[in-house]
Amino acid sequence: MEATGEVKLVDKYMRKDVEDLLKRKFFVVQSFEIYGGVAGLFDFGPLGAALKNNVEQLWRNHFVLEEDMLEVSCSALTPEAVLKTSGHVDKFEDFMVKDTKNGQCYRADKILEDHIDKVLQKKAKKMKQEEIEKLEKIKAQADSFSQTEIGEILKELKVKAPDTGNPISDPVPFNLMFSTQIGPSGNAKGYFRPETAQSQFVNFKRLLEFNNGKLPFASASIGLGFRNEISPRAGLLRVREFTMAEIEHFCDPLNKDHHKFCLVKDETLPLLSKEKQLSLEDPITDLTVSEAVEQGIINNQTLAYFMTRTFLFFEKCGIPRSAIRFRQHLDTEMAHYASDCWDCEIETSYGWIEIVGHADRSCFDLDCHSKYTKTELLGSRPLETPIEVSTTYILPDKKKLGKALKRDCKLLCDYLDGLDEDERQSIHKQYDEADTEFEIDVGSKKITVPKDSIEVKIDTKMSMEEKFAPHVIEPAFGIGRAIYCIFEHCFRKRPDSETRTYFAFPAMIAPVKTSILPLVSNSDELLKHVYELKTRLNKEGVSSKVDDSSQTIGRRYARTDECGIPFAITVDNDTLTDNTVTLREIHTTKQVRIPIDDLSEVILTLSKGMLTWESIQEKYPNFETEKEES
Amino acid sequence: MEATGEVKLVDKYMRKDVEDLLKRKFFVVQSFEIYGGVAGLFDFGPLGAALKNNVEQLWRNHFVLEEDMLEVSCSALTPEAVLKTSGHVDKFEDFMVKDTKNGQCYRADKILEDHIDKVLQKKAKKMKQEEIEKLEKIKAQADSFSQTEIGEILKELKVKAPDTGNPISDPVPFNLMFSTQIGPSGNAKGYFRPETAQSQFVNFKRLLEFNNGKLPFASASIGLGFRNEISPRAGLLRVREFTMAEIEHFCDPLNKDHHKFCLVKDETLPLLSKEKQLSLEDPITDLTVSEAVEQGIINNQTLAYFMTRTFLFFEKCGIPRSAIRFRQHLDTEMAHYASDCWDCEIETSYGWIEIVGHADRSCFDLDCHSKYTKTELLGSRPLETPIEVSTTYILPDKKKLGKALKRDCKLLCDYLDGLDEDERQSIHKQYDEADTEFEIDVGSKKITVPKDSIEVKIDTKMSMEEKFAPHVIEPAFGIGRAIYCIFEHCFRKRPDSETRTYFAFPAMIAPVKTSILPLVSNSDELLKHVYELKTRLNKEGVSSKVDDSSQTIGRRYARTDECGIPFAITVDNDTLTDNTVTLREIHTTKQVRIPIDDLSEVILTLSKGMLTWESIQEKYPNFETEKEES
């Protein structure tokens, strides 16, 4: 659903300018461009890759280091059993329709949304208000309909294939995972993971042990995910291979408070709850974090804490507050594993786009993996008063059982070995109710067991702790999407010239911190100073890019601006005598004269956001030049 | 081939201790462990992931930043055409044999090597010297035999399936790439890349443009690679998914000098040339880099420059010089794209293992991609005297041609559009020799063309530059393998106790820089100081791990040592009054008393290798404790 009212829409017509600049300066291009490209795959060139590294490092500092998370790095290639258990083999799918004449495939929800947009654009004036509202409501729920529902709606609205106007097929589910074979045998199917989360869940036991058995704790992972999108468009926003940064916060289901909640409770978040979305009132509510939790709009402190941290992260990335909102998932829209979910959406020229999901996955995943693997994936809470804990033992008399069952004896014993307490209690009940024999279903067959070949024992202990299946609260970031938003929101045009465009990245994430320019390019002495300075800055941890081409200094400033380099150092003849240079800031284009010895510290401090450019302008003498050429 | 003589073999019996510690402290475990694991897939836990990040960052600083390389980040998923062109679809394979009874698959060269090892171990004493040498020579070439050759040798040596003793099948080639389908159509085959190199090649044009058209330059990429190994063993050394760091240095084939060669020319490298390997003399030759290039042992300065930089990189990683050597590939062993290749090998408990390949790939890859895509992938060199450059134009008279050929006209015109200069010249020759008509093979069919429907024009210009296909020199690192070598070479046992083991990682790559320990765990005041100190260090860029468990301080030192944390800070009662703490270094276990205000700078400077622990011991008062408990 599009936002209305206060929030200013990003100018849609800038998109082309942004994308042109991204391509021209090799920030991002379609992968395998000289082969015609592949839809949904992109390569980051030198500036894009550096920006991406910096955003990942900022994320690591903001989340992993500040919150003391356990970062892991796990395999993308995943055996089928794991993703079957997690539900992805059966449920990780979109509905697809085909152009019945040329076979072209489309995502059912996307062509439904596009169709509604077109209808509203063309005919809204002639339509009744209730008709418009009906269509808007359908669009808002497009990706949450069942297969039958969306099929019926597509028919009712007479939706055709968008490229040809041909009729479309009924929707069918298409699984979004890339499958492959592991090893040469041909019978070990695998997938490339659609999310990093599952690896964190299957390592839960080791993570808990690493954390000395204490809960809550969070693990985190930055890594590749893969989704075989049906028909990817929308540039960097819908891709088939992407970097994700996911956090899995494991906690006691009885206590989802967060120990650092007090630090964020007075922040204000723009919230769009599920009730508001369907009511079509002005949907955004600005609430403080503590109000939102107290009023039950956000389910718990931990979910709210992470939402606020996400909000603060995007501020550091240069996204304006007014372009961020949190939208709660509709009940019908929620992923199969989630019990509550808030998307952090950022406004772009494509509309409001999900960049981060904040999901309460409850104990769904740990439970599934635990059951399938017969591995205990539990935490424990201390008790004030001890409780009785009973363990049931089913003890086969192997001699008697062997005689009675022959080869089935081993089958039965293996089966009994793998049972959990609930299952053992249910056998115990059967045993108690049985006369002389009873039947046990071991999966592959039913075995009739003589009662006297089995003994049941119950062991009772007092325990000072109680075990539970931890709940998981998961903030999951799409790093590529975040980067696209940064591109759009940092794009600028100089007021005096349409063609002088630049990226005003926060220095912290800028791909290169400074450029170094000799005032003129034909002086060996200036060039020597330029390259010595580059070596020195590099040693001191400041990245730089030299432009010693013969272009005018104004042209070269324009070029460094297009690369989003926040500072430019110019080496001139005065440098040779007094060891000072000029330092220019991209946004103001103002310059100061500064000793070379101060450069690294000034640039590093500015890049960490610990000093402002204004304070540098106060400290060092202003350097006046003639108006920059365009 | 195993090294003999001077080089001290790493104690094979430490491997188990290393692997135990890696698993126990969750540095690395097999992926999907609770599902029984998958051969060749590993997960890095918190300490392993942090070490891996640090090694990657060190690599980025040492290569990308110091050498001003263009780092890119490209798609792993690759369409078939790209890898067909590069030769991987046809040639990226190992030979596989099967146990004829149970179907188990083995790599032919590996079971040959293992067989020879066993024979030599059991029977060497009874064998003649020439027999032994013959077997050793076979083993040295095991992975360079053709399919027929290795089949014959396996038969001759009567090699059986190692796990069962059953007969084995003849060897067959098995392609090592993971294949999948891109998109829903089912007719777009793709692979997960076996190397990052191809993405750098297909982006060559954009990279050259980014570098303002200047050569030489190097691109670089750190990213995932995938190889569907037939039967992975040897832990982290032979895996199916791995992080690679690859550099592609593009240069003029007539000039492979390197502008920074003078900085490394006096370094000594341990070289094992191809001649020496087959002669079975003492194989290692220690030569200075300039000697090696002058004597033609290493083909050119650039190859030698990168080999030396690799050597220096591993020194920073804590690998002793004596455990590093460079082995040249045998002619028969070289990859299909390489014209010269030197492996940097590191000695481990598994023998000498290839960690980095330094290959001169000549112009193989750019040539292939250029021909297939009809895209010019050339560099240019300036000329002192201008030369004549001719361009041939084949100009169809579309009116006449349309009449003569009907629907074939478009086919022919498209074909002519896509030709390069050589091909146009060959058509020109046919044209000149033809009477009234001649035949052009457009690929899908042969078309007879009337001579008068075509005109040929030659355009000649003077040019101050000459175009050429750049050569590529490629250092390709296996980051996972490097990390395994770091684990083995940094593993230590305290002289006074077999059970007190630790990792003496260089502080620069250590996963966490310092631990913070309250002297006793039951003092709220000490704990408050501990957590305040953690927050402060974190802000100042020093990572830390608190151990506030109730274990004795000696046990907790032992625990932080096992994690490879180089420094430990202890907060005690004196801290409360004088704001000092003790700082302990892992290897010496010596402690100094140091003001809290100095901590960050001291630890950061030590971590950058700009100060030694000895100098800290001189500067700050020694702190004596009783002997650490074990």
Side-chain angles (χ1 to χ4, degrees):
Chain A
M1 188 182 296
E2 300 290 319
T4 50
E6 312 257 300
V7 183
K8 200 182 133 270
L9 265 171
V10 176
D11 177 2
K12 292 201 180 169
Y13 305 101
M14 298 270 263
R15 188 198 296 166
K16 202 180 159 309
D17 292 335
V18 176
E19 290 182 347
D20 279 355
L21 184 52
L22 289 178
K23 200 164 172 181
R24 188 152 47 82
K25 286 287 159 186
F26 196 13
F27 276 91
V28 183
V29 296
Q30 207 174 19
S31 302
F32 316 107
E33 211 186 2
I34 63 172
Y35 280 79
V38 176
L41 295 180
F42 291 89
D43 289 351
F44 290 90
L47 297 171
L51 182 83
K52 179 167 176 279
N53 281 338
N54 293 344
V55 169
E56 285 175 23
Q57 196 50 47
L58 177 63
W59 192 92
R60 186 172 280 128
N61 289 338
H62 185 84
F63 289 104
V64 179
L65 297 182
E66 274 198 41
E67 311 281 348
D68 238 335
M69 295 174 176
L70 308 181
E71 186 181 349
V72 297
S73 172
C74 304
S75 294
L77 187 51
T78 307
E80 185 170 34
V82 174
L83 292 163
K84 179 83 186 164
T85 306
S86 68
H88 286 85
V89 171
D90 297 323
K91 291 183 197 159
F92 191 69
E93 51 197 21
D94 280 339
F95 297 120
M96 172 169 86
V97 296
K98 279 191 183 182
D99 182 317
T100 51
K101 294 199 172 148
N102 70 11
Q104 174 81 37
C105 303
Y106 298 97
R107 243 179 84 170
D109 58 336
K110 288 292 160 202
I111 67 167
L112 176 58
E113 286 174 13
D114 290 351
H115 175 85
I116 293 176
D117 278 344
K118 260 191 221 154
V119 170
L120 290 179
Q121 222 178 337
K122 275 194 198 164
K123 304 187 191 163
K125 283 184 191 162
K126 297 183 212 156
M127 288 166 72
K128 285 182 203 150
Q129 189 55 27
E130 59 185 60
E131 276 182 286
I132 295 177
E133 278 175 18
K134 186 186 154 198
L135 286 180
E136 276 176 349
K137 208 160 165 176
I138 290 176
K139 193 187 157 197
Q141 301 179 69
D143 67 348
S144 57
F145 290 120
S146 71
Q147 184 177 356
T148 322
E149 282 166 353
I150 197 161
E152 280 165 6
I153 293 170
L154 288 170
K155 262 187 202 143
E156 189 191 320
L157 298 182
K158 302 201 173 70
V159 178
K160 306 283 179 204
D163 297 317
T164 60
N166 293 333
I168 54 172
S169 69
D170 283 336
V172 291
F174 175 74
N175 193 292
L176 298 177
M177 292 193 294
F178 288 101
S179 69
T180 195
Q181 287 292 334
I182 304 178
S185 70
N187 47 31
K189 193 170 182 178
Y191 296 94
F192 287 85
R193 66 178 176 203
E195 56 175 21
T196 71
Q198 298 306 322
S199 292
Q200 299 181 56
F201 300 141
V202 299
N203 278 312
F204 170 74
K205 222 177 148 147
R206 293 223 170 252
L207 287 164
L208 182 66
E209 195 185 301
F210 187 84
N211 207 45
N212 299 322
K214 285 186 211 164
L215 278 170
F217 72 87
S219 60
S221 189
I222 302 178
L224 285 183
F226 300 87
R227 294 187 191 188
N228 197 6
E229 294 286 348
I230 291 170
S231 173
R233 300 182 201 176
L236 282 175
L237 294 176
R238 187 159 293 283
V239 296
R240 286 173 165 153
E241 175 178 336
F242 44 88
T243 300
M244 314 177 79
E246 293 188 304
I247 294 163
E248 310 299 333
H249 177 94
F250 299 94
C251 61
D252 186 335
L254 299 185
N255 181 3
K256 293 185 180 176
D257 288 352
H258 194 284
H259 73 288
K260 287 166 85 176
F261 185 72
C262 54
L263 300 178
V264 303
K265 70 181 176 39
D266 298 325
E267 289 281 344
T268 303
L269 294 183
L271 300 176
L272 173 52
S273 67
K274 51 189 174 190
E275 290 77 17
K276 292 276 174 124
Q277 287 168 67
L278 295 176
S279 74
L280 297 172
E281 308 162 37
D282 178 23
I284 297 288
T285 318
D286 279 313
L287 285 179
T288 67
V289 180
S290 56
E291 286 167 342
V293 173
E294 277 157 25
Q295 296 174 22
I297 296 172
I298 302 177
N299 182 273
N300 60 72
Q301 281 191 5
T302 298
L303 201 53
Y305 178 77
F306 281 121
M307 286 164 65
T308 319
R309 293 289 296 163
T310 295
F311 195 63
L312 298 173
F313 173 76
F314 283 124
E315 267 204 301
K316 287 188 189 168
C317 289
I319 308 288
R321 287 191 160 226
S322 60
I324 306 175
R325 73 178 188 190
F326 291 87
R327 190 181 70 77
Q328 191 172 27
H329 276 206
L330 304 177
D331 290 337
T332 46
E333 172 189 14
M334 212 115 59
H336 63 272
Y337 47 73
S339 70
D340 188 14
C341 190
W342 287 84
D343 285 345
C344 174
E345 298 184 331
I346 295 182
E347 192 179 31
T348 71
S349 65
Y350 294 93
W352 286 94
I353 300 293
E354 174 204 348
I355 311 296
V356 189
H358 301 85
D360 186 334
R361 297 177 77 130
S362 71
C363 62
F364 178 86
D365 305 271
L366 289 182
D367 251 11
C368 296
H369 291 300
S370 170
K371 283 212 177 92
Y372 183 88
T373 62
K374 309 268 183 207
T375 308
E376 189 182 280
L377 301 177
L378 301 176
S380 63
R381 67 176 78 90
L383 293 170
E384 296 199 359
T385 47
I387 51 160
E388 259 190 28
V389 179
S390 302
T391 312
T392 308
Y393 295 94
I394 313 284
L395 304 165
D397 178 332
K398 292 206 179 167
K399 215 169 156 186
K400 281 189 191 162
L401 212 54
K403 260 190 196 163
L405 300 184
K406 304 269 162 14
R407 293 173 63 187
D408 285 347
C409 174
K410 187 174 178 309
L411 212 59
L412 182 70
C413 292
D414 287 351
Y415 173 75
L416 294 175
D417 266 356
L419 299 182
D420 63 22
E421 177 62 22
D422 285 352
E423 292 163 326
R424 287 190 301 263
Q425 282 179 12
S426 124
I427 300 239
H428 183 193
K429 193 162 163 253
Q430 271 185 284
Y431 173 92
D432 278 348
E433 290 164 358
D435 218 1
T436 57
E437 58 180 35
F438 63 106
E439 222 173 36
I440 297 184
D441 184 348
V442 303
S444 56
K445 66 192 288 188
K446 286 180 182 174
I447 298 177
T448 304
V449 183
K451 194 169 171 177
D452 68 352
S453 67
I454 292 251
E455 192 189 341
V456 177
K457 248 179 79 179
I458 293 172
D459 201 8
T460 304
K461 273 193 228 164
M462 296 309 284
S463 174
M464 288 299 292
E465 58 169 35
E466 192 174 16
K467 298 215 167 181
F468 60 85
H471 277 208
V472 172
I473 289 166
E474 173 196 81
F477 286 66
I479 295 291
R481 287 185 169 199
I483 286 172
Y484 182 76
C485 297
I486 293 170
F487 286 141
E488 276 205 359
H489 283 283
C490 292
F491 183 77
R492 299 280 187 282
K493 291 184 177 187
R494 298 267 177 229
D496 52 347
S497 164
E498 271 294 294
T499 57
R500 289 197 61 175
T501 57
Y502 65 101
F503 285 116
F505 301 127
M508 204 183 292
I509 57 168
V512 177
K513 301 306 172 216
T514 185
S515 50
I516 312 179
L517 317 171
L519 185 63
V520 292
S521 67
N522 54 3
S523 155
D524 285 348
E525 219 172 343
L526 288 191
L527 283 180
K528 188 170 155 275
H529 269 72
V530 161
Y531 282 98
E532 278 172 11
L533 180 56
K534 182 178 174 64
T535 307
R536 176 171 172 182
L537 290 180
N538 188 40
K539 271 208 185 114
E540 295 168 351
V542 177
S543 58
S544 63
K545 188 174 193 298
V546 168
D547 186 347
D548 58 6
S549 70
S550 57
Q551 303 269 8
T552 64
I553 190 75
R555 283 299 304 148
R556 283 183 285 147
Y557 282 142
R559 286 216 297 222
T560 158
D561 290 348
E562 286 189 321
C563 297
I565 301 175
F567 307 107
I569 296 165
T570 304
V571 173
D572 55 24
N573 282 321
D574 289 344
T575 310
L576 307 181
T577 52
D578 67 3
N579 232 16
T580 66
V581 291
T582 68
L583 183 68
R584 171 186 176 276
E585 192 267 343
I586 186 170
H587 195 61
T588 57
T589 74
K590 297 283 182 220
Q591 298 186 46
V592 294
R593 192 87 203 172
I594 184 171
I596 284 183
D597 288 342
D598 290 7
L599 271 177
S600 290
E601 206 186 320
V602 163
I603 295 175
L604 287 174
T605 324
L606 284 167
S607 300
K608 283 180 194 158
M610 287 157 70
L611 267 185
T612 61
W613 175 247
E614 287 66 37
S615 67
I616 300 300
Q617 282 183 293
E618 277 164 28
K619 182 166 174 195
Y620 294 98
N622 189 18
F623 185 81
E624 290 286 344
T625 49
E626 301 180 25
K627 195 172 174 304
E628 287 183 16
E629 307 166 48
S630 63
Chain B
M1 187 185 293
E2 298 291 319
T4 50
E6 311 258 300
V7 184
K8 201 182 133 268
L9 265 170
V10 176
D11 178 0
K12 295 201 178 170
Y13 304 102
M14 298 270 263
R15 187 197 299 167
K16 204 181 158 307
D17 293 334
V18 177
E19 290 182 347
D20 279 356
L21 185 51
L22 289 179
K23 199 164 169 178
R24 188 153 45 82
K25 286 287 159 186
F26 195 13
F27 277 91
V28 184
V29 296
Q30 207 174 19
S31 301
F32 315 107
E33 210 184 3
I34 63 172
Y35 280 79
V38 176
L41 295 180
F42 291 89
D43 288 350
F44 290 90
L47 297 170
L51 182 82
K52 180 167 175 281
N53 281 338
N54 294 344
V55 169
E56 287 175 21
Q57 195 52 46
L58 177 62
W59 192 92
R60 186 171 280 129
N61 289 338
H62 185 83
F63 289 104
V64 178
L65 296 181
E66 275 198 41
E67 312 282 348
D68 238 336
M69 294 173 176
L70 307 182
E71 186 180 349
V72 296
S73 173
C74 305
S75 294
L77 186 51
T78 307
E80 185 171 34
V82 174
L83 292 162
K84 179 82 185 166
T85 306
S86 69
H88 286 86
V89 171
D90 296 324
K91 292 184 196 159
F92 191 68
E93 51 197 22
D94 279 339
F95 297 120
M96 171 169 87
V97 296
K98 280 192 181 181
D99 182 318
T100 52
K101 294 200 172 147
N102 70 11
Q104 173 83 35
C105 302
Y106 298 97
R107 244 180 83 170
D109 58 337
K110 289 291 159 203
I111 69 167
L112 175 58
E113 287 175 13
D114 289 351
H115 175 85
I116 292 175
D117 278 345
K118 260 193 219 152
V119 170
L120 290 178
Q121 221 179 336
K122 274 195 196 164
K123 303 187 189 162
K125 281 185 191 160
K126 297 181 208 156
M127 287 163 75
K128 284 183 204 152
Q129 189 54 29
E130 59 187 61
E131 276 182 288
I132 296 177
E133 280 175 16
K134 186 184 151 198
L135 285 180
E136 277 176 348
K137 209 160 162 177
I138 291 175
K139 192 187 157 198
Q141 301 178 68
D143 66 349
S144 56
F145 290 121
S146 71
Q147 183 177 357
T148 322
E149 282 166 353
I150 199 162
E152 280 165 6
I153 294 169
L154 287 170
K155 261 185 202 146
E156 189 191 319
L157 297 182
K158 301 199 174 73
V159 177
K160 305 285 182 205
D163 296 318
T164 60
N166 293 334
I168 53 172
S169 70
D170 284 335
V172 290
F174 174 74
N175 192 292
L176 298 176
M177 293 193 295
F178 288 101
S179 68
T180 195
Q181 286 293 334
I182 304 179
S185 71
N187 47 30
K189 193 170 182 178
Y191 296 94
F192 288 85
R193 67 178 174 202
E195 56 176 22
T196 71
Q198 297 307 322
S199 293
Q200 298 181 57
F201 301 141
V202 299
N203 278 312
F204 171 74
K205 221 177 148 147
R206 292 223 171 252
L207 288 164
L208 182 66
E209 195 185 300
F210 187 84
N211 207 45
N212 298 324
K214 286 187 211 165
L215 280 171
F217 71 86
S219 61
S221 190
I222 303 178
L224 285 183
F226 299 87
R227 295 187 191 188
N228 197 5
E229 294 286 348
I230 291 169
S231 174
R233 299 182 201 177
L236 282 176
L237 294 175
R238 188 159 293 283
V239 297
R240 286 173 164 154
E241 175 177 335
F242 44 88
T243 301
M244 316 178 79
E246 293 187 304
I247 294 163
E248 312 298 333
H249 177 94
F250 298 93
C251 61
D252 186 335
L254 299 185
N255 181 5
K256 294 185 179 176
D257 288 352
H258 195 285
H259 74 288
K260 287 166 84 176
F261 185 71
C262 53
L263 299 178
V264 304
K265 69 183 176 40
D266 298 325
E267 289 282 343
T268 303
L269 294 183
L271 300 176
L272 174 52
S273 67
K274 52 189 174 189
E275 290 79 14
K276 291 276 175 122
Q277 287 168 68
L278 296 175
S279 74
L280 296 172
E281 307 164 37
D282 178 23
I284 296 288
T285 319
D286 278 313
L287 285 179
T288 66
V289 180
S290 55
E291 286 167 344
V293 173
E294 277 156 26
Q295 295 173 23
I297 295 172
I298 302 177
N299 181 272
N300 59 70
Q301 282 190 5
T302 299
L303 201 54
Y305 177 76
F306 281 120
M307 287 164 66
T308 318
R309 293 289 297 164
T310 295
F311 195 64
L312 298 173
F313 173 76
F314 283 125
E315 266 203 302
K316 288 188 188 167
C317 288
I319 309 290
R321 288 192 160 225
S322 60
I324 306 175
R325 73 178 186 190
F326 291 87
R327 190 181 69 78
Q328 192 173 28
H329 276 205
L330 304 177
D331 290 337
T332 47
E333 173 188 11
M334 212 112 61
H336 63 271
Y337 47 73
S339 71
D340 189 14
C341 189
W342 287 85
D343 284 346
C344 174
E345 297 185 332
I346 296 182
E347 194 178 29
T348 71
S349 66
Y350 294 93
W352 287 94
I353 300 293
E354 174 205 348
I355 310 298
V356 189
H358 301 84
D360 185 334
R361 296 176 79 131
S362 71
C363 61
F364 178 85
D365 305 272
L366 289 183
D367 253 10
C368 297
H369 291 300
S370 171
K371 283 211 179 93
Y372 183 88
T373 61
K374 310 269 183 204
T375 309
E376 190 182 279
L377 301 176
L378 301 176
S380 63
R381 66 177 77 91
L383 293 171
E384 297 199 357
T385 46
I387 52 161
E388 257 190 30
V389 179
S390 302
T391 312
T392 308
Y393 294 94
I394 313 282
L395 305 165
D397 177 332
K398 290 204 178 168
K399 213 169 160 187
K400 281 190 192 164
L401 213 55
K403 260 190 196 164
L405 300 183
K406 305 266 162 21
R407 293 176 62 187
D408 285 347
C409 174
K410 187 175 180 311
L411 212 60
L412 182 72
C413 292
D414 286 351
Y415 173 75
L416 293 175
D417 266 357
L419 299 182
D420 63 22
E421 178 62 22
D422 284 353
E423 291 164 327
R424 288 191 300 262
Q425 283 178 12
S426 122
I427 301 239
H428 184 194
K429 196 162 159 253
Q430 271 184 283
Y431 173 90
D432 279 348
E433 289 164 0
D435 219 359
T436 57
E437 57 180 39
F438 63 106
E439 221 173 36
I440 297 182
D441 184 348
V442 302
S444 56
K445 67 191 289 187
K446 286 179 184 176
I447 296 178
T448 304
V449 182
K451 196 169 170 176
D452 68 352
S453 67
I454 292 254
E455 192 190 342
V456 176
K457 247 179 79 179
I458 293 173
D459 200 8
T460 304
K461 274 193 227 162
M462 296 309 285
S463 174
M464 288 299 293
E465 59 169 33
E466 191 174 19
K467 299 217 166 178
F468 60 85
H471 277 208
V472 173
I473 290 167
E474 173 195 82
F477 285 66
I479 295 290
R481 287 185 170 198
I483 286 172
Y484 183 76
C485 296
I486 293 170
F487 286 142
E488 276 206 358
H489 284 283
C490 292
F491 183 76
R492 300 280 186 282
K493 290 183 176 189
R494 298 266 176 228
D496 53 346
S497 164
E498 270 295 293
T499 57
R500 290 198 60 178
T501 57
Y502 66 101
F503 285 115
F505 301 126
M508 203 182 295
I509 58 169
V512 178
K513 301 306 174 216
T514 184
S515 49
I516 312 179
L517 317 171
L519 185 64
V520 293
S521 66
N522 53 5
S523 154
D524 284 348
E525 219 172 343
L526 288 191
L527 283 181
K528 187 170 154 276
H529 270 72
V530 161
Y531 283 98
E532 278 172 10
L533 180 55
K534 182 178 173 64
T535 307
R536 175 172 173 180
L537 289 180
N538 188 39
K539 271 209 185 113
E540 295 168 350
V542 177
S543 58
S544 63
K545 187 175 193 298
V546 169
D547 186 348
D548 57 7
S549 70
S550 58
Q551 302 269 9
T552 65
I553 190 76
R555 283 298 305 148
R556 283 182 285 147
Y557 283 142
R559 288 217 295 223
T560 157
D561 291 349
E562 286 187 322
C563 297
I565 300 174
F567 308 106
I569 297 165
T570 304
V571 173
D572 55 24
N573 282 321
D574 289 344
T575 310
L576 308 180
T577 52
D578 67 4
N579 231 17
T580 66
V581 291
T582 69
L583 183 68
R584 170 185 176 275
E585 191 268 343
I586 187 171
H587 193 61
T588 57
T589 74
K590 296 285 183 219
Q591 299 184 46
V592 296
R593 192 87 203 172
I594 185 171
I596 283 183
D597 288 341
D598 291 7
L599 271 177
S600 290
E601 205 186 322
V602 162
I603 295 175
L604 287 175
T605 325
L606 284 166
S607 299
K608 286 181 192 157
M610 286 158 70
L611 266 186
T612 63
W613 176 246
E614 287 67 37
S615 67
I616 299 300
Q617 283 184 292
E618 276 163 27
K619 182 165 173 195
Y620 293 98
N622 188 18
F623 185 80
E624 289 286 342
T625 49
E626 299 181 27
K627 195 172 171 308
E628 290 184 13
E629 307 165 49
S630 63

